[in-house]
């Protein structure tokens, strides 16, 4: 990461009429959240599943809620409590400051399901969680209850640290009492209810209709090629609106041709670096 690149990124942020904040798994690393990069990274975060030889892609599958619900909720229950108890890092505050300076504000587009942007104080009406979120659930029977929020006063899901399984009462649908599952798009998931995400995407489209020209800047944090949803969106939106992309990624920082900026480092380091080069 060079001073010249930081200055270019700072110039883009300072002149932005509107910001899009794209975020992948790397955004949460500086908050202390695991990014599950590779099987070894996942098993380091969840040793019980290493013993079972289960990878992230194996566990993040809706079939477990039917065949082995205590295993399914052991995995997602632990993640729910981890995400709820983790404070967003200072980079979120910096991004909120930049959003407040832009004439049209900012919109978040994230593949993360951790709810960190809401916990950091971003407007929930200006967030797209393209793969859903762990803070909302749906019924496994599709009884018509729709999507319902996880109550914040609910007792934490007890997870056995040795087995990785949930113990005690599992989350249930408030309408029919059947087992509930997170409203998250999993692997091979034909039953994900995307109603909430579609509404978020429609609000983003409405916002983008009023955003044109070089004043649109996309700050992309920690979005890799393994799950390229955010990268594809970032590149499409800056290309279609003559905007600027600032891509922050320590391993895969390449940007398309043009005036875009590549910062090969972690999210918090880059955001603080840009901040130091912004005009007062």
């Amino acid at each position: 990461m060079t001073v010249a690149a930081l200055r270019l990124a700072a110039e883009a942020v300072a002149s932005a009429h509107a910001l899009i904040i794209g975020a992948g798994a790397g955004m949460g690393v500086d908050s202390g959240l695991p990014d599950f990069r590779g099987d070894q990274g996942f098993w380091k975060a969840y040793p019980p599943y290493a013993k079972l030889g289960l990878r992230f892609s194996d566990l993040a599958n809706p079939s477990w809620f039917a065949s082995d619900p205590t295993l399914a909720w052991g995995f997602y229950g632990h993640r729910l409590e981890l995400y709820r108890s983790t404070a967003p890092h200072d980079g979120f505050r910096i991004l909120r400051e930049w959003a407040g300076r832009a004439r049209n504000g900012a919109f978040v587009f994230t593949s993360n399901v951790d709810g960190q942007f809401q916990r950091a104080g971003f407007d929930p009406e200006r967030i797209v969680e393209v793969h859903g979120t762990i803070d909302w659930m749906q019924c496994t029977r599709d009884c018509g209850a729709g999507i319902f929020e996880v109550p914040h006063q609910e007792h934490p899901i007890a997870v056995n640290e040795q087995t990785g399984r949930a113990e005690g009462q599992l989350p249930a649908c408030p309408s029919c009492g059947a087992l509930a599952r997170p409203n998250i798009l999993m692997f091979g998931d034909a039953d994900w209810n995307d109603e909430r995400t579609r509404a978020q995407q429609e609000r983003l489209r409405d916002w983008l209709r009023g955003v044109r020209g070089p004043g649109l800047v996309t700050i992309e944090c920690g979005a890799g090629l393994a799950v390229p949803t955010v990268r594809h969106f970032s590149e499409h939106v800056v290309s279609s609106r003559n905007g600027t992309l600032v891509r922050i990624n320590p391993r895969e920082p390449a940007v398309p041709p043009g005036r875009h900026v590549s910062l090969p480092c972690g999210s918090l380091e880059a955001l603080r670096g840009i901040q130091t080069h912004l005009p007062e």
Side-chain angles (χ1 to χ4, degrees), residues 45-251:
Y46 289 101
Y49 307 134
K51 295 177 183 177
L52 297 172
L54 293 172
R55 300 167 297 174
F56 176 82
S57 57
D58 296 325
L59 281 162
N61 190 302
S63 64
W64 293 109
F65 288 93
S67 64
D68 198 339
T70 63
L71 183 65
W73 268 115
F75 177 50
Y76 282 103
H78 183 274
R79 290 175 68 192
L80 173 62
E81 299 309 321
L82 175 65
Y83 295 156
R84 282 182 165 183
S85 63
T86 298
H89 62 74
D90 192 52
F92 288 89
R93 177 194 61 79
I94 293 171
L95 288 168
R96 280 187 64 200
E97 284 187 10
W98 297 351
R101 296 176 187 177
R103 184 175 65 210
N104 292 308
F107 222 105
V108 174
F109 186 94
T110 180
S111 59
N112 297 335
V113 300
D114 53 27
Q116 287 271 291
F117 281 97
Q118 289 92 331
R119 290 184 239 286
F122 281 79
D123 182 358
E125 295 297 303
R126 287 199 171 186
I127 299 174
V128 173
E129 293 159 306
V130 70
H131 293 160
T133 176
I134 204 161
D135 287 311
W136 291 74
M137 296 187 188
Q138 64 184 74
C139 181
T140 55
R141 285 186 186 166
D142 192 21
C143 71
I147 303 168
F148 44 93
E149 192 169 7
V150 179
H152 284 273
Q153 70 274 15
E154 187 175 87
H155 294 297
I157 298 166
V159 179
N160 187 304
E161 296 287 339
Q162 302 303 313
T163 65
R165 290 180 175 275
E167 298 177 339
Q169 188 173 359
L170 301 179
C173 172
S175 179
C176 73
L179 183 71
R181 53 158 280 187
N183 182 233
I184 290 173
L185 177 62
M186 304 177 196
F187 291 94
D189 196 348
D191 297 320
W192 179 53
N193 185 335
D194 68 348
E195 179 180 342
R196 182 171 174 272
T197 295
R198 283 190 287 109
Q200 292 175 334
Q201 291 173 320
E202 184 58 38
R203 289 194 291 271
L204 172 59
R205 283 191 288 269
D206 289 342
W207 180 77
L208 281 171
R209 290 186 186 105
V211 177
R212 295 283 174 183
L216 174 68
V217 175
T218 295
I219 309 291
E220 183 193 278
C221 302
L225 291 168
V227 181
T229 312
V230 174
R231 289 174 76 100
H232 289 169
F233 171 78
S234 298
E235 292 175 9
H236 168 74
V237 77
V238 296
S239 172
S240 62
R241 287 170 169 78
N242 193 29
T244 300
L245 170 63
V246 177
R247 171 164 285 156
I248 302 167
N249 194 299
R251 300 183 186 92

